Amino acid sequence: MEKFFLIISICSIIMFSPSLSKLFRTPVVVVEICLGLIAGYFGLIYADETLILIAKFGFVYLMFLAGLEINLKLVKIIKATLAINVILYFVFLYSISGLICWIFNLGITYFVALPIFSLGMIMMLIKEYGKDEPWLNLALSIGVVGEVISILALTLFSGWVEYGFNLNFFISILTIVGVVLLTILGLRLFYIIFWWYPELKKFLVPDSHDNRFDQDIRFSISSLLILVAIMYALKIDVVLGAFAAGLFFKMFFYQKHELIEKIESFGFGFFVPIFFIYTGSTVKLDMLTYDIFEHALFIMAAIILIRLISSYLAFYKYLKFKQTMLFALSDSMPLTFLVAIAMLTYNYGLITQAEYFSFIIASMIDGLVLMLIIRKLHKIFSLKIKN
């Protein structure tokens, strides 16, 4: 009977979230997280194994969509004109993070966690505001670099926590570096193969009039799962495999608009909402104290502050004041990776249970509040431009 209420609760939230989003003029992801939180408090949604698996797949699928949304032309422009700015941005980010940790006597967990990136919430912003916003395009492109750096940081950190500075730690470093290099070489190899044998692309993903058996969806989802399985076998964050799969389709099948629409509808309509609903349900409201909430606000403020300072120092000339503000806030929502680091360090005893709850609450409040602030600022800035 519990599973019955679990399924009914999740499906109801998925169905009615868009309507409630319109009614309250709130981003749909905020509604999904809040309803998940309420349902979790009343015991309607709980840590069921099947739900956890689907929620994890929802996040993986979200990273797949992130790869699909990469603006390759913008990446080339950034590489040609903003490469130094991007490097400076990350130097400022980690330098200010280190300074905050030194001033407040915080551990290495905070140094790794505060500058961490995650594309999940940026993808929800793209879903809401479209792909034509300069600040959002830059946020996605920078977010990709940040995500890769975050995966490297998370892998190195988890390796250090698990093995210490021994042979296994250095093997984990070499493995992820090797995988990144092989991914780049693999994409280049497919570029050459498809250039010499263009008919191979039609064989893998037929045109709509020849696609009787939905070969396009079969190939895309199978490719995603195969790359995820490879990363899992190599003990590397599966996000890297999901993102590589999305980038593969963006590079070679970008003209297949029907396929892209199918993939996006499949994700944003079902799997991605389940991830956000489950994330909301993991917060235990009855275990929160004032000190936990206060520390969560401190973590949230530090995350936003280091990005605001770094963004204005690195990108003010390119984006100017308003769009730099939106860019900085959009990059300040590392929901999933912040949770991952908190869980990892708590399991190994590097942070207390109170700190663990503070990180979880910070990631939640950060995502909820900033989505609302970005929407408000976007309206204000757009009105000023029109006037």
Side-chain angles (χ1 to χ4, degrees):
M1 200 64 180
E2 286 182 352
K3 285 188 182 290
F4 171 78
F5 287 112
L6 176 66
I7 294 169
I8 293 296
S9 300
I10 292 171
C11 292
S12 298
I13 293 173
I14 290 173
M15 281 194 296
F16 296 115
S17 288
S19 301
L20 292 172
S21 173
K22 291 178 183 177
L23 180 64
F24 294 106
R25 297 181 181 179
T26 306
V28 68
V29 64
V30 174
V31 175
E32 289 164 354
I33 291 173
C34 288
L35 291 178
L37 189 150
I38 295 167
Y41 178 73
F42 287 105
L44 296 171
I45 298 177
Y46 53 92
D48 178 76
E49 288 184 8
T50 305
L51 174 60
I52 293 171
L53 182 62
I54 297 173
K56 285 181 179 178
F57 181 72
F59 174 60
V60 167
Y61 204 96
L62 191 60
M63 294 304 101
F64 177 51
L65 292 171
L68 280 173
E69 295 295 343
I70 291 296
N71 187 330
L72 296 175
K73 290 183 179 179
L74 182 64
V75 171
K76 289 180 181 178
I77 293 170
I78 290 172
K79 186 178 178 181
T81 60
L82 291 173
I84 295 174
N85 301 69
V86 172
I87 294 169
L88 284 174
Y89 177 68
F90 285 103
V91 169
F92 289 140
L93 207 59
Y94 280 89
S95 299
I96 298 168
S97 175
L99 182 63
I100 289 174
C101 291
W102 178 70
I103 292 171
F104 292 98
N105 195 27
L106 303 173
I108 191 171
T109 299
Y110 292 83
F111 176 70
V112 177
L114 294 180
I116 207 83
F117 272 79
S118 182
L119 289 173
M121 300 301 280
I122 294 176
M123 287 305 302
M124 300 314 294
L125 288 172
I126 287 174
K127 180 68 176 174
E128 184 164 350
Y129 300 111
K131 307 172 187 177
D132 299 325
E133 298 282 351
W135 59 274
L136 199 46
N137 264 317
L138 182 63
L140 180 61
S141 301
I142 299 298
V144 170
V145 180
E147 183 104 355
V148 173
I149 291 173
S150 297
I151 292 169
L152 288 169
L154 192 57
T155 304
L156 294 176
F157 189 55
S158 61
W160 171 73
V161 168
E162 186 173 353
Y163 304 119
F165 288 108
N166 60 20
L167 182 61
N168 289 327
F169 172 69
F170 292 105
I171 289 173
S172 67
I173 296 174
L174 291 174
T175 302
I176 193 168
V177 170
V179 166
V180 171
L181 292 175
L182 284 173
T183 301
I184 295 169
L185 289 173
L187 290 171
R188 184 63 183 171
L189 179 63
F190 274 107
Y191 180 83
I192 295 169
I193 291 171
F194 288 145
W195 189 81
W196 280 103
Y197 304 101
E199 65 276 7
L200 183 60
K201 289 171 70 174
K202 286 191 176 182
F203 174 76
L204 294 173
V205 181
D207 293 330
S208 54
H209 59 274
D210 294 325
N211 192 22
R212 291 172 53 202
F213 303 107
D214 293 310
Q215 172 66 16
D216 51 356
I217 284 291
R218 292 172 186 239
F219 178 66
S220 58
I221 302 300
S222 297
S223 301
L224 165 65
L225 293 175
I226 287 169
L227 284 173
V228 165
I230 291 171
M231 296 301 152
Y232 183 78
L234 294 172
K235 296 182 179 180
I236 295 174
D237 198 312
V238 294
V239 167
L240 192 60
F243 178 77
L247 190 59
F248 172 80
F249 279 90
K250 181 66 177 182
M251 287 180 66
F252 304 116
F253 300 102
Y254 61 90
Q255 74 279 14
K256 303 286 184 180
H257 300 295
E258 288 184 11
L259 171 61
I260 303 300
E261 287 176 7
K262 282 183 187 178
I263 292 171
E264 288 184 348
S265 298
F266 193 53
F268 286 122
F270 185 71
F271 285 111
V272 174
I274 290 178
F275 163 70
F276 285 111
I277 292 165
Y278 175 71
T279 301
S281 72
T282 58
V283 178
K284 307 301 179 186
L285 292 175
D286 54 337
M287 296 184 70
L288 300 184
T289 64
Y290 176 77
D291 290 337
I292 288 173
F293 189 72
E294 185 180 43
H295 192 61
L297 291 178
F298 167 78
I299 293 170
M300 176 183 162
I303 288 170
I304 297 171
L305 181 65
I306 64 174
R307 282 163 175 78
L308 281 171
I309 296 171
S310 301
S311 298
Y312 277 105
L313 289 173
F315 297 116
Y316 178 76
K317 288 185 179 179
Y318 176 72
L319 292 173
K320 303 307 179 187
F321 179 80
K322 295 175 183 177
Q323 295 207 40
T324 303
M325 173 73 74
L326 291 170
F327 164 79
L329 295 178
S330 66
D331 262 354
S332 300
M333 297 182 284
L335 179 67
T336 49
F337 275 13
L338 198 62
V339 172
I341 285 180
M343 194 174 295
L344 174 72
T345 52
Y346 175 62
N347 289 337
Y348 282 96
L350 295 178
I351 58 174
T352 64
Q353 187 183 53
E355 287 179 300
Y356 170 71
F357 281 128
S358 292
F359 272 108
I360 302 299
I361 294 299
S363 67
M364 298 282 295
I365 296 174
D366 185 55
L368 293 171
V369 172
L370 289 185
M371 286 291 284
L372 294 172
I373 291 174
I374 288 170
R375 170 174 277 202
K376 189 68 176 176
L377 288 176
H378 187 266
K379 285 183 178 178
I380 293 169
F381 293 161
S382 297
L383 286 172
K384 285 183 178 179
I385 291 169
K386 287 178 184 178
N387 292 335

